[in-house]
Amino acid sequence: MSLPTTPGSPPGAKESGTLQTYFQALGQFAYDKAKELMDKEKEIHKATFGSSWGLMVHTLSQFATAEKTYNSLGFLEQKWFGRPKDTLRNSYLVLLQELRRMEEAVRQQDSVAMGMPGPGADFEILLSHLCGQLCEYIRARQKTMDFYEQISLMGTNKNMNYQDLVEVIAEIIHVHSRNFHHPILASLKSGFTSECDIVSHLLQAQLLMAEGQFLPSLLQLHQAHSKLTSWGAASQARETVKKGMFGSTTKTLSSLPALYSWLLRYKCLLVAKFSLYFYDVLSKQTTSVDMKGLSAKNCEDYVAKVTAFQKKSDASHVCLVLDTQGLESPYRGPGYTHPDRQGDTPKGLDSYPTIFSFPGEQPVGHWPNVVMLISDRQADTDRVQFVYDKAVQSTYFITSIEPRIYLVVIYETKKSEKDSYVNSFMLELSSLLRCIKHFAGLKPGSRVGGSRK
């Protein structure tokens, strides 16, 4: 399987440069450009299609199409007539077979040559290495496809286990991140690593926020933000990426692949959630007017939602309550606490602090009732619990957002258990804060929510 040569240059030099350009284009989300480059090579080497290079060019043209489909989340399309569309999975399987075949063919050729390598043989060996490592890359892609499928399915279930997802993506990173390391594949590896790291940081931020951990969750968000910015800057659409962490998503998302846009919005949703969970801590660093303005710039202004609901429904208080009992790291209060600072672990009523309360601070007079309701409540995130206390003539609505965080609405009057406005608000806010719609919205055409905007 001989290679075409160019006078005045070593055999394979031009082709190696073409490979560099091709994989750099993939790293910039320029899938059409990469495919066009390989299609031109196919026309040039049509007469030598049976050569290693001719076969490689044909395979890489298909590979660019597969990568474009992957990053557009096309593999998660809805089922039609009860059957899933597995076009991308089949495409990757075909590519895997072709790459294995080429790798084996070159190995056999080398064994025949038996110690008589030359410049052309060196390039054949390079193609063999690339084929082997691209096979590993495709296996990694198959794992991340399964991972996103798992996320989209979990998005339809309100009892999401984010810890399981963190462990799955950590295993993918551990097993696959070192299996395609050739310098020519650097852009491809960088994109894969960025994608997996960003997902991991975001999921860990969500877990840490659910335990009221201010600094650790902030650091995870910052890591995700930095890597999203770096990944976006490497693309041809880098001018669309906003630099501010606490700001809107992008100027235009349409020029970025759907997967990147989904990750970017996920980060923005978590920033908005962080702004609510740690509102009191953040508000101490600025004026109330500036804090309100910063919240309004988030993709979801949860504080405004709570404020509007409280005023319209005339609720006495709307509170987010953290159950600190049994936390692995002792709760030292909201915000940053120096690791060497000693403090007593909260007990009794103090072990259920409010992390957000509107209007005003925690309603102390109602707190024994609130804590009793949380303590007696079973793990059920699918409904809103209602209690009317005749002794204090107050009504309590409660639902869980996270395993340790509860949304409580208090009225100092008797309310109907079936009050649709109250129930709808609480369920909607809980769903938004758990990012359920965003997770389920991975599937194109999903009716759960428009998170793919």
Side-chain angles (χ1 to χ4, degrees), residues 322-327 329-334 343-353:
L322 172 65
D323 177 4
T324 66
Q325 296 188 102
L327 283 172
S329 301
Y331 184 71
R332 302 301 187 197
D344 295 331
T345 301
K347 297 179 181 179
L349 297 181
D350 292 337
S351 61
Y352 293 88

Side-chain angles (χ1 to χ4, degrees), residues 145-339:
M145 287 166 68
D146 292 340
F147 173 75
Y148 289 119
E149 184 73 38
Q150 183 180 355
I151 286 181
S152 67
L153 292 174
M154 288 180 71
T156 63
N157 180 2
K158 294 185 178 181
N159 296 303
M160 294 186 66
N161 190 327
Y162 299 103
Q163 183 60 48
D164 284 353
L165 295 175
V166 169
E167 292 173 1
V168 170
I169 196 63
E171 179 68 12
I172 291 173
I173 294 171
H174 174 71
V175 172
H176 297 285
S177 62
R178 292 173 290 182
N179 292 341
F180 36 94
H181 50 75
H182 196 281
I184 287 179
L185 304 179
S187 296
L188 207 63
K189 177 180 173 61
S190 177
F192 174 84
T193 303
S194 294
E195 173 192 339
C196 293
D197 285 348
I198 289 164
V199 172
S200 178
H201 288 310
L202 293 174
L203 289 170
Q204 289 184 72
Q206 189 149 0
L207 276 171
L208 291 164
M209 273 187 267
E211 295 182 351
Q213 297 192 43
F214 174 79
L215 184 60
S217 58
L218 178 61
L219 292 175
Q220 292 292 336
L221 282 176
H222 178 71
Q223 288 284 342
H225 170 75
S226 298
K227 291 180 180 180
L228 273 164
T229 302
S230 177
W231 193 20
S235 76
Q236 294 180 333
R238 56 186 175 273
E239 69 275 7
T240 68
V241 180
K242 288 280 190 181
K243 292 184 178 180
M245 178 175 168
F246 287 86
S248 57
T249 55
T250 60
K251 294 178 182 177
T252 53
L253 289 174
S254 58
S255 58
L256 293 166
L259 174 57
Y260 183 95
S261 300
W262 185 86
L263 290 171
L264 189 59
R265 179 163 176 80
Y266 184 24
K267 187 268 298 187
C268 292
L269 287 171
L270 291 184
V271 169
K273 179 176 179 175
F274 183 90
S275 299
L276 176 67
Y277 279 20
F278 302 103
Y279 187 86
D280 289 344
V281 177
L282 296 172
S283 61
K284 292 177 182 178
Q285 310 303 315
T286 185
T287 66
S288 59
V289 174
D290 286 345
M291 189 63 200
K292 185 177 180 180
L294 289 170
S295 296
K297 291 180 180 179
N298 287 326
C299 59
E300 293 285 351
D301 188 350
Y302 292 119
V303 175
K305 288 180 182 294
V306 170
T307 302
F309 165 78
Q310 185 273 332
K311 291 179 179 178
K312 186 173 181 179
S313 70
D314 201 25
S316 169
H317 281 86
V318 180
C319 303
L320 294 180
V321 185
L322 172 65
D323 177 4
T324 66
Q325 296 188 102
L327 283 172
E328 290 186 13
S329 301
Y331 184 71
R332 302 301 187 197
Y336 172 74
T337 303
H338 193 280

Side-chain angles (χ1 to χ4, degrees), residues 77-141:
E77 289 184 3
Q78 299 289 303
K79 295 181 179 181
W80 295 93
F81 304 108
R83 294 181 299 176
K85 297 177 68 176
D86 287 332
T87 307
L88 181 59
R89 294 181 186 274
N90 292 334
S91 296
Y92 275 133
L93 285 174
V94 171
L95 286 168
L96 199 58
Q97 293 168 358
E98 291 295 328
L99 291 165
R100 284 172 177 167
R101 190 177 297 120
M102 280 190 285
E103 183 184 16
E104 184 60 30
V106 173
R107 285 179 179 175
Q108 291 178 357
Q109 180 178 323
D110 289 344
S111 65
V112 171
M114 288 298 293
M116 294 184 296
D122 289 342
F123 184 67
E124 295 280 345
I125 293 171
L126 169 63
L127 291 184
S128 175
H129 286 325
L130 293 180
C131 286
Q133 293 190 22
L134 284 173
C135 285
E136 295 298 328
Y137 177 82
I138 289 174
R139 293 187 185 99
R141 274 288 189 244

Side-chain angles (χ1 to χ4, degrees), residues 24-43:
Q24 284 175 2
L26 291 183
Q28 296 172 342
F29 307 138
Y31 309 110
D32 293 336
K33 177 182 176 181
K35 178 173 170 49
E36 182 182 348
L37 180 64
M38 289 297 112
D39 288 345
K40 286 181 179 179
E41 285 292 312
K42 279 199 296 185
E43 289 298 318

